[in-house]
Amino acid sequence: MDTLSYKTISANKETAKKEWVVIDASDQIVGRLCSKVAKLLRGKYKPNFTPHVDCGDNVIIINAAKVRFSGKKETDKVYTRYTGYPGGQRFDTPAELRKRKNGVEKIIRHAVKGMLPKGPLGRSILNNLYVYEGTEHQQQAQQPKTIDINQYK
């Protein structure tokens, strides 16, 4: 067996081929959508995936306001945050967050962030996610391609 013909390709920041993709989140379940988005952001669907490099795509999610939860999570799930002051622990349900400005974006970012690696790499990968509640987005200049998220596992 010729071992020189089999080379492991390790991507780096210069050789990574990053694309711009648009995902329509209408009638998608939050957890299932976000797990696929996390894989896209990480680059796991690409043949030259390298664990320690940001080689994933830039993902734009449109129609995020139409995303839904399964079961009774819309009213029973609780998001906890802390203001930094004594007695400053605050609790919100997804139904309460939807009423706030950028509330749906916070729901999706929170779910995707938990599925990315912890540390500097995960924080930089999360910057490649753009969430919009409507159909319009500001990344038209990048000429993103629209993909069907249901075709991914």
Side-chain angles (χ1 to χ4, degrees):
M1 184 165 130
D2 184 16
T3 57
L4 294 177
S5 64
Y6 299 100
K7 298 240 183 213
T8 302
I9 299 169
S10 184
N12 58 26
K13 192 164 48 169
E14 290 78 29
T15 62
K17 294 179 178 70
K18 297 174 74 70
E19 297 176 348
W20 286 83
V21 295
V22 175
I23 296 173
D24 187 7
S26 297
D27 296 324
Q28 296 285 330
I29 295 175
V30 174
R32 295 172 192 174
L33 169 75
C34 291
S35 65
K36 295 171 187 176
V37 168
K39 281 185 181 180
L40 280 169
L41 286 168
R42 188 89 197 276
K44 288 234 174 175
Y45 292 117
K46 294 188 175 188
N48 63 344
F49 168 69
T50 308
H52 63 278
V53 178
D54 177 11
C55 55
D57 296 334
N58 296 301
V59 178
I60 304 163
I61 298 178
I62 58 172
N63 290 325
K66 297 179 183 175
V67 81
R68 62 186 178 91
F69 284 90
S70 61
K72 294 194 282 182
K73 294 187 191 86
E74 187 76 35
T75 55
D76 293 353
K77 184 177 175 70
V78 176
Y79 290 104
T80 307
R81 61 187 173 89
Y82 182 61
T83 63
Y85 290 94
Q89 200 171 22
R90 304 287 186 256
F91 305 99
D92 292 315
T93 63
E96 294 169 352
L97 275 177
R98 281 183 194 270
K99 297 174 187 171
R100 291 205 187 122
K101 181 182 178 187
N102 296 333
V104 178
E105 180 182 355
K106 288 177 184 173
I107 290 171
I108 292 177
R109 280 193 175 276
H110 184 271
V112 172
K113 182 181 177 184
M115 299 175 193
L116 290 175
K118 312 305 181 258
L121 178 64
R123 289 190 294 272
S124 67
I125 288 175
L126 193 61
N127 292 331
N128 297 332
L129 176 65
Y130 301 88
V131 182
Y132 296 98
E133 294 187 17
T135 57
E136 300 297 319
H137 61 86
Q138 300 172 356
Q139 279 75 26
Q140 296 293 347
Q142 280 73 29
Q143 298 165 344
K145 65 176 186 176
T146 305
I147 61 169
D148 181 21
I149 196 68
N150 296 324
Q151 71 182 4
Y152 292 96
K153 286 188 178 181

Short mmCIF file of all heavy atoms in Angstrom, two decimals, residues 15-37:
data_model
loop_
_atom_site.label_atom_id
_atom_site.label_comp_id
_atom_site.label_asym_id
_atom_site.label_seq_id
_atom_site.Cartn_x
_atom_site.Cartn_y
_atom_site.Cartn_z
N THR A 15 -7.03 28.30 3.63
CA THR A 15 -7.52 27.31 2.67
C THR A 15 -8.99 26.95 2.87
O THR A 15 -9.56 26.25 2.03
CB THR A 15 -6.69 26.02 2.76
OG1 THR A 15 -6.82 25.47 4.07
CG2 THR A 15 -5.24 26.29 2.44
N ALA A 16 -9.59 27.40 3.96
CA ALA A 16 -11.01 27.07 4.21
C ALA A 16 -11.89 27.82 3.21
O ALA A 16 -11.76 29.02 3.01
CB ALA A 16 -11.40 27.46 5.63
N LYS A 17 -12.79 27.08 2.57
CA LYS A 17 -13.71 27.67 1.59
C LYS A 17 -15.03 27.94 2.29
O LYS A 17 -15.87 27.07 2.42
CB LYS A 17 -13.90 26.72 0.42
CG LYS A 17 -12.65 26.51 -0.41
CD LYS A 17 -12.91 25.55 -1.54
CE LYS A 17 -11.68 25.38 -2.39
NZ LYS A 17 -10.61 24.66 -1.70
N LYS A 18 -15.20 29.18 2.73
CA LYS A 18 -16.41 29.57 3.45
C LYS A 18 -17.43 30.11 2.47
O LYS A 18 -17.10 30.90 1.61
CB LYS A 18 -16.08 30.62 4.52
CG LYS A 18 -15.13 30.10 5.60
CD LYS A 18 -14.72 31.18 6.55
CE LYS A 18 -15.81 31.55 7.50
NZ LYS A 18 -16.13 30.56 8.50
N GLU A 19 -18.67 29.66 2.61
CA GLU A 19 -19.76 30.10 1.75
C GLU A 19 -20.80 30.82 2.60
O GLU A 19 -20.80 30.71 3.83
CB GLU A 19 -20.41 28.90 1.05
CG GLU A 19 -19.48 28.16 0.12
CD GLU A 19 -20.14 26.93 -0.46
OE1 GLU A 19 -21.22 26.53 0.03
OE2 GLU A 19 -19.58 26.36 -1.41
N TRP A 20 -21.69 31.53 1.93
CA TRP A 20 -22.82 32.18 2.58
C TRP A 20 -24.07 31.42 2.21
O TRP A 20 -24.34 31.20 1.03
CB TRP A 20 -22.93 33.63 2.13
CG TRP A 20 -21.88 34.51 2.72
CD1 TRP A 20 -20.60 34.67 2.29
CD2 TRP A 20 -22.01 35.34 3.86
NE1 TRP A 20 -19.93 35.55 3.08
CE2 TRP A 20 -20.77 35.99 4.06
CE3 TRP A 20 -23.05 35.62 4.73
CZ2 TRP A 20 -20.56 36.88 5.10
CZ3 TRP A 20 -22.83 36.50 5.76
CH2 TRP A 20 -21.60 37.13 5.94
N VAL A 21 -24.85 31.00 3.22
CA VAL A 21 -26.07 30.26 2.97
C VAL A 21 -27.24 30.92 3.71
O VAL A 21 -27.07 31.51 4.77
CB VAL A 21 -25.95 28.78 3.39
CG1 VAL A 21 -24.92 28.07 2.55
CG2 VAL A 21 -25.61 28.65 4.86
N VAL A 22 -28.43 30.82 3.11
CA VAL A 22 -29.66 31.34 3.71
C VAL A 22 -30.55 30.16 4.05
O VAL A 22 -30.75 29.26 3.24
CB VAL A 22 -30.39 32.29 2.73
CG1 VAL A 22 -31.72 32.73 3.31
CG2 VAL A 22 -29.54 33.49 2.42
N ILE A 23 -31.09 30.19 5.27
CA ILE A 23 -32.00 29.14 5.73
C ILE A 23 -33.33 29.78 6.10
O ILE A 23 -33.36 30.77 6.84
CB ILE A 23 -31.41 28.41 6.95
CG1 ILE A 23 -30.13 27.69 6.55
CG2 ILE A 23 -32.43 27.45 7.54
CD1 ILE A 23 -29.39 27.08 7.71
N ASP A 24 -34.41 29.21 5.59
CA ASP A 24 -35.75 29.68 5.94
C ASP A 24 -36.23 28.87 7.13
O ASP A 24 -36.36 27.65 7.05
CB ASP A 24 -36.69 29.52 4.75
CG ASP A 24 -38.06 30.14 5.01
OD1 ASP A 24 -38.22 30.81 6.04
OD2 ASP A 24 -38.95 29.97 4.15
N ALA A 25 -36.50 29.54 8.25
CA ALA A 25 -36.85 28.86 9.50
C ALA A 25 -38.36 28.72 9.69
O ALA A 25 -38.80 28.40 10.80
CB ALA A 25 -36.25 29.60 10.68
N SER A 26 -39.15 28.94 8.67
CA SER A 26 -40.61 28.85 8.81
C SER A 26 -41.03 27.44 9.21
O SER A 26 -40.65 26.46 8.56
CB SER A 26 -41.29 29.22 7.50
OG SER A 26 -41.01 30.55 7.18
N ASP A 27 -41.81 27.33 10.29
CA ASP A 27 -42.36 26.07 10.79
C ASP A 27 -41.29 25.03 11.09
O ASP A 27 -41.53 23.83 10.97
CB ASP A 27 -43.38 25.50 9.80
CG ASP A 27 -44.58 26.40 9.66
OD1 ASP A 27 -44.97 27.01 10.67
OD2 ASP A 27 -45.14 26.51 8.55
N GLN A 28 -40.12 25.47 11.51
CA GLN A 28 -39.06 24.56 11.94
C GLN A 28 -39.06 24.48 13.46
O GLN A 28 -39.39 25.45 14.14
CB GLN A 28 -37.69 25.04 11.45
CG GLN A 28 -37.52 25.06 9.95
CD GLN A 28 -37.34 23.67 9.37
OE1 GLN A 28 -36.82 22.77 10.01
NE2 GLN A 28 -37.79 23.50 8.14
N ILE A 29 -38.67 23.34 14.00
CA ILE A 29 -38.57 23.18 15.45
C ILE A 29 -37.19 23.69 15.88
O ILE A 29 -36.18 23.40 15.23
CB ILE A 29 -38.79 21.72 15.85
CG1 ILE A 29 -40.23 21.33 15.50
CG2 ILE A 29 -38.52 21.50 17.31
CD1 ILE A 29 -40.57 19.89 15.71
N VAL A 30 -37.15 24.45 16.97
CA VAL A 30 -35.95 25.18 17.36
C VAL A 30 -34.74 24.27 17.51
O VAL A 30 -33.69 24.51 16.91
CB VAL A 30 -36.19 25.96 18.68
CG1 VAL A 30 -34.91 26.60 19.16
CG2 VAL A 30 -37.24 27.02 18.48
N GLY A 31 -34.83 23.23 18.31
CA GLY A 31 -33.68 22.38 18.59
C GLY A 31 -33.16 21.67 17.36
O GLY A 31 -31.94 21.56 17.16
N ARG A 32 -34.04 21.19 16.53
CA ARG A 32 -33.64 20.45 15.33
C ARG A 32 -33.01 21.38 14.30
O ARG A 32 -32.03 21.04 13.65
CB ARG A 32 -34.83 19.72 14.74
CG ARG A 32 -35.33 18.65 15.68
CD ARG A 32 -36.61 18.03 15.24
NE ARG A 32 -37.15 17.22 16.33
CZ ARG A 32 -38.32 16.64 16.33
NH1 ARG A 32 -39.11 16.78 15.27
NH2 ARG A 32 -38.73 15.94 17.35
N LEU A 33 -33.58 22.58 14.18
CA LEU A 33 -33.01 23.58 13.29
C LEU A 33 -31.62 23.99 13.76
O LEU A 33 -30.66 24.02 12.97
CB LEU A 33 -33.92 24.80 13.21
CG LEU A 33 -33.36 26.04 12.52
CD1 LEU A 33 -33.35 25.84 11.02
CD2 LEU A 33 -34.15 27.27 12.89
N CYS A 34 -31.49 24.27 15.04
CA CYS A 34 -30.23 24.78 15.57
C CYS A 34 -29.12 23.74 15.55
O CYS A 34 -27.94 24.10 15.40
CB CYS A 34 -30.43 25.32 16.98
SG CYS A 34 -31.43 26.82 17.00
N SER A 35 -29.44 22.47 15.69
CA SER A 35 -28.40 21.45 15.62
C SER A 35 -27.81 21.37 14.21
O SER A 35 -26.60 21.21 14.03
CB SER A 35 -28.93 20.09 16.05
OG SER A 35 -29.92 19.63 15.17
N LYS A 36 -28.66 21.53 13.20
CA LYS A 36 -28.17 21.53 11.82
C LYS A 36 -27.40 22.80 11.52
O LYS A 36 -26.39 22.78 10.81
CB LYS A 36 -29.34 21.36 10.85
CG LYS A 36 -30.02 20.01 10.98
CD LYS A 36 -31.29 19.94 10.18
CE LYS A 36 -32.04 18.65 10.45
NZ LYS A 36 -33.31 18.61 9.74
N VAL A 37 -27.86 23.93 12.06
CA VAL A 37 -27.16 25.20 11.86
C VAL A 37 -25.79 25.15 12.52
O VAL A 37 -24.80 25.64 11.96
CB VAL A 37 -28.01 26.37 12.41
CG1 VAL A 37 -27.19 27.64 12.50
CG2 VAL A 37 -29.22 26.60 11.54
#
